[in-house]
Amino acid sequence: MSDGVQGPDRTRAARTPGLASLVRLRQDTAKPLYLQLEEQLRALIEDGTLAGGTTLPAERSFAEAMGVSRTTVQRCYDTLRRQRFLSAHGRLGFVVEAGRTRLSPGMDRLKGFTEEMRELGRVPSSEIVERLVLHDRAIASLFGLPSTVPFLKLVRIRKGDGIPLSREVAWYNLGAAPALAEADLGGSVYALLGTCGVPLVRCQQTIEAAMANAVECAVFGFEEPLPCLLIKRRSYDREDRMIEYVEGLFRGDAYAYRLDLRA
């Protein structure tokens, strides 16, 4: 069914200045107009074009500018509100939530979350949820070590500018870095490992798509499970000993890793 787009053009650009001029809706695709609008507004928020605190046009005026029905705009705004990209402010209408610009860190070298946030101009912080020293046969096998070797299990919520960006479960080889057992782990563990004489020099890393579970939804403030990036990393020291194994779930609405590839 037509969604109220007027005129003969099959690819339609907005005809008025402002937000509508940044959006293009296509008629030569099966993708519904509300979904096209939602995806493009989300992209404008993530790349910083629509900064936090920006008030979006009223539903009726935006619909008229785009040549679509008001229902299309309502559906789009409501979806972005449920995904925490927008918040409703009564007569002010819908306002872009702060901190929703998508981060695009490079993957050109080994670095920890703290360094990565600082490179991106964010203030890093961590909330320690769980900290245990224990023996674990399965983890020892993963490290290729005897089951008698102690490990530090560290569960942290990693934040940038106070916004939860990842939930991280990490294991550290205390046989190689015993000082971690009693150290202050509120900052960069990678920097701490360096001062302990076991700096990390290389890692093996995989990135997978994953849905946030109930615990992670609560951490990120999701009303429903949303796609995220699951990053698994094995990190090694100069003696090629595996020091760290970590699984970090990064919110997919805030993270997009960048790779620079050359021929």
Side-chain angles (χ1 to χ4, degrees), residues 19-32:
L19 177 59
S21 66
L22 302 176
V23 179
R24 295 181 66 86
L25 299 180
R26 299 174 60 91
Q27 288 296 294
D28 57 349
T29 175
K31 182 175 293 186

Side-chain angles (χ1 to χ4, degrees), residues 59-200:
E59 294 169 353
R60 186 182 301 278
S61 62
F62 192 34
E64 290 175 353
M66 295 304 303
V68 300
S69 70
R70 185 176 179 182
T71 301
T72 294
V73 176
Q74 286 177 330
R75 188 168 182 179
C76 166
Y77 280 5
D78 187 59
T79 298
L80 293 175
R81 178 192 61 78
R82 287 187 284 106
Q83 295 175 352
R84 301 291 184 90
F85 283 91
L86 303 177
S87 56
H89 289 262
R91 292 184 177 180
L92 286 177
F94 287 91
V95 177
V96 176
E97 287 275 17
R100 298 318 303 264
T101 302
R102 187 183 291 267
L103 301 174
S104 298
M107 299 186 71
D108 53 342
R109 59 188 176 84
L110 174 60
K111 56 190 170 185
F113 180 87
T114 299
E115 182 182 0
E116 188 168 84
M117 285 297 102
R118 288 171 177 162
E119 287 184 355
L120 293 168
R122 300 291 181 97
V123 177
S125 61
S126 296
E127 175 188 343
I128 298 177
V129 177
E130 182 179 349
R131 175 177 178 164
L132 294 171
V133 174
L134 42 72
H135 295 83
D136 187 293
R137 187 180 300 273
I139 294 298
S141 177
L142 185 67
F143 277 74
L145 295 172
S147 59
T148 54
V149 173
F151 291 91
L152 170 68
K153 180 183 180 182
L154 188 62
V155 181
R156 294 185 291 178
I157 309 302
R158 314 305 302 272
K159 303 177 181 180
D161 290 345
I163 299 171
L165 296 176
S166 76
R167 179 178 182 272
E168 178 184 280
V169 181
W171 299 82
Y172 294 94
N173 176 3
L174 291 181
L180 288 185
E182 303 296 334
D184 178 2
L185 302 178
S188 169
V189 174
Y190 281 18
L192 186 58
L193 285 168
T195 63
C196 293
V198 282
L200 302 179

